[in-house]
Amino acid sequence: MIVLAVAAFLWVVVAMLALLAWRRGGSVLKDATRSGVLDFLYLIPRLAIGVIGAGFLAALLPQEVVRSWLGPESGLSGLALASLAGAITPGGPVIGFAIAASALKSGAGVVPVSAYVTAWALYAVQRLFVWEIPVMPARVVWLRVAASLPLPALTALGFWLTGAR
């Protein structure tokens, strides 16, 4: 039910944005619609590949191994392993979320998977070396990394406190 509520809310937001674009002029609405449709057509094949690939990955991952390493009872070692895996996972959301969904389907716990997703979003080692260090002063990059270090564990703790396992 919540999925439908979120979808309805998002369509209301899109309708409001379309109305605002229309008020700025027909050409703005036309350009925005064209841009949105092209983005949609560009992303759909990638999303399909990610979702289908996640299904294959979930089927191929040995459930007993996933449960023992990242299961609800894996404790701090599962949290550390998930955080490390998140940090070294390359790619964008199609890859990161597909791996997280596959892990959940294969028996991983919500707490370690939340740490994985948080570490993947914050640390992404390849992004660090390809984008951040070459573009920003090293001091700023390492300060950001240091400030982000406890966040996967804090995210996991938040899920654990709410009763998620």
Side-chain angles (χ1 to χ4, degrees):
M1 186 65 178
I2 188 127
V3 172
L4 292 176
V6 170
F9 171 75
L10 292 174
W11 278 112
V12 168
V13 170
V14 168
M16 290 175 17
L17 291 171
L19 180 63
L20 289 172
W22 174 74
R23 290 184 65 193
R24 289 193 177 181
S27 65
V28 173
L29 178 61
K30 181 181 173 186
D31 291 344
T33 303
R34 184 180 191 290
S35 175
V37 168
L38 289 176
D39 286 345
F40 175 78
L41 293 174
Y42 177 78
L43 288 173
I44 282 299
R46 286 154 181 79
L47 289 173
I49 290 168
V51 170
I52 293 168
F56 285 125
L57 186 60
L60 295 173
L61 284 174
Q63 292 185 353
E64 57 281 346
V65 173
V66 172
R67 265 191 234 109
S68 67
W69 287 4
L70 299 172
E73 305 302 322
S74 61
L76 291 177
S77 62
L79 186 65
L81 180 62
S83 296
L84 178 63
I88 63 172
T89 300
V94 172
I95 303 294
F97 290 129
I99 290 172
S102 297
L104 284 170
K105 289 178 186 175
S106 296
V110 172
V111 172
V113 171
S114 69
Y116 167 83
V117 171
T118 304
W120 165 79
L122 291 174
Y123 303 147
V125 174
Q126 81 286 349
R127 181 187 67 221
L128 190 73
F129 291 108
V130 172
W131 293 105
E132 292 185 21
I133 291 174
V135 175
M136 296 188 294
R139 181 174 177 267
V140 172
V141 173
W142 297 118
L143 182 62
R144 185 200 66 76
V145 169
S148 300
L149 279 176
L151 294 179
L154 290 174
T155 302
L157 176 64
F159 274 97
W160 184 78
L161 289 173
T162 64
R165 300 289 187 256

